[in-house]
């Protein structure tokens, strides 16, 4: 599945950077009434029919990495609408290579976004010209670097239990980072990457890694 005509991603709510323990994440993948960067607003109840249809058919919404259909990284155990938006809770699978990488990036604070892939069933126009998404066919919820809706983030991240040494080994051996870069990333997350980039301090490996593996 790709992002194509009739399929859009809306909103990712950042995941709060918390200690990685069990791979469980949760947050709001979409917020009702908020204007996203594409000029869309999801109306309350937009997912009701789709969620009912999925349940009736015994199918699940997929957890993907960066909207890439070839990169499922976990399972959404709970997806529901409430007064605020579309709440999701699930598990990243550390046995999957990309899932292991995603958990490491989440734990370091390098990414924290959620975003949905869907097909528009019914839409209208608001008073200011914004598109009102009234009914959506929900396909997937992805963990992403940059959400279309900036306020869509993961509220809690518990990546697979690991010691600080285990995490450093993951960054150096699996992600191919130098030990100095890995330690700066562990200590400061995204802020560390940005400061190292501004200073020209050997950040090329991280930049290349993110460019290659974080397709937007």
């Amino acid at each position: 599945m790709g992002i194509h005509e009739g399929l859009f991603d809306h909103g990712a709510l950042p995941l709060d950077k918390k200690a990685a323990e069990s791979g469980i994440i949760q947050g709001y993948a979409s917020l009702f009434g908020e204007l996203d960067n594409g000029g869309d607003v999801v109306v309350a109840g937009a997912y009701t029919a789709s969620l009912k249809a999925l349940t009736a058919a015994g199918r699940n919404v997929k957890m993907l990495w960066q909207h890439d259909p070839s990169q499922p990284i976990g399972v959404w155990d709970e997806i529901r609408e409430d007064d605020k938006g579309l709440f999701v809770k699930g598990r990243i699978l550390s046995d999957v290579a990309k899932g292991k990488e995603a958990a490491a990036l989440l734990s370091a604070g390098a990414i924290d976004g959620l975003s949905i892939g869907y097909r528009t069933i019914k839409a209208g126009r608001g008073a200011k010209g914004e598109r009102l998404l009234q009914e959506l066919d929900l396909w997937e919820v992805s963990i992403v670097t940059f959400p279309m809706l900036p306020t869509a983030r993961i509220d809690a991240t518990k990546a697979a239990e690991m010691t600080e040494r285990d995490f450093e080994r993951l960054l150096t051996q699996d992600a191919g980072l130098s030990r100095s870069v890995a330690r700066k990333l562990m200590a400061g997350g995204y802020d560390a990457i940005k400061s190292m980039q501004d200073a020209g301090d050997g950040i090329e490996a991280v930049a290349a890694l993110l460019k290659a593996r974080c397709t937007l």
Side-chain angles (χ1 to χ4, degrees):
M1 183 194 75
I3 301 299
H4 56 76
E5 185 176 0
L7 177 66
F8 307 86
D9 68 77
H10 177 90
L13 303 171
L15 325 176
D16 265 343
K17 184 175 67 173
K18 294 190 176 181
E21 296 172 3
S22 66
I24 297 175
I25 58 173
Q26 65 180 36
Y28 283 88
S30 175
L31 293 174
F32 297 140
E34 291 203 11
L35 184 69
D36 73 10
N37 291 332
D40 292 338
V41 175
V42 177
V43 176
Y47 304 101
T48 301
S50 181
L51 293 177
K52 286 183 178 179
L54 286 167
T55 299
R59 295 187 291 115
N60 298 320
V61 174
K62 307 305 182 185
M63 180 191 293
L64 301 181
W65 172 249
Q66 307 286 358
H67 296 296
D68 185 345
S70 69
Q71 296 287 357
I73 59 171
V75 177
W76 293 117
D77 295 311
E78 180 181 357
I79 298 183
R80 58 177 168 79
E81 288 180 304
D82 59 21
D83 292 340
K84 186 175 180 179
L86 184 70
F87 176 83
V88 297
K89 182 177 181 179
R91 295 164 286 134
I92 295 178
L93 302 179
S94 59
D95 290 341
V96 176
K98 186 61 69 173
K100 189 175 182 180
E101 293 175 14
L105 290 168
L106 286 166
S107 299
I111 60 172
D112 65 352
L114 292 173
S115 187
I116 67 171
Y118 63 88
R119 182 171 60 91
T120 302
I121 303 298
K122 182 180 179 181
R125 287 290 172 186
K128 297 181 179 180
E130 70 275 22
R131 189 171 66 142
L132 302 178
L133 303 177
Q134 299 164 334
E135 184 178 346
L136 302 174
D137 181 15
L138 183 64
W139 292 11
E140 52 92 5
V141 177
S142 286
I143 295 175
V144 298
T145 308
F146 297 111
M148 182 72 78
L149 182 63
T151 49
R153 307 287 172 171
I154 295 172
D155 293 330
T157 304
K158 298 181 178 179
E161 292 185 1
M162 62 176 70
T163 65
E164 184 174 333
R165 178 173 295 182
D166 291 333
F167 186 40
E168 181 179 333
R169 185 180 302 113
L170 176 66
L171 292 175
T172 54
Q173 295 183 5
D174 292 2
L177 307 182
S178 69
R179 181 169 295 179
S180 62
V181 170
R183 288 180 175 175
K184 288 181 180 179
L185 178 58
M186 291 167 63
Y190 178 79
D191 290 340
I193 294 177
K194 184 65 170 64
S195 63
M196 292 164 67
Q197 186 176 40
D198 291 343
D201 187 14
I203 196 60
E204 292 82 2
V206 176
L209 177 70
L210 294 178
K211 183 177 181 179
R213 300 184 179 180
C214 298
T215 304
L216 300 179

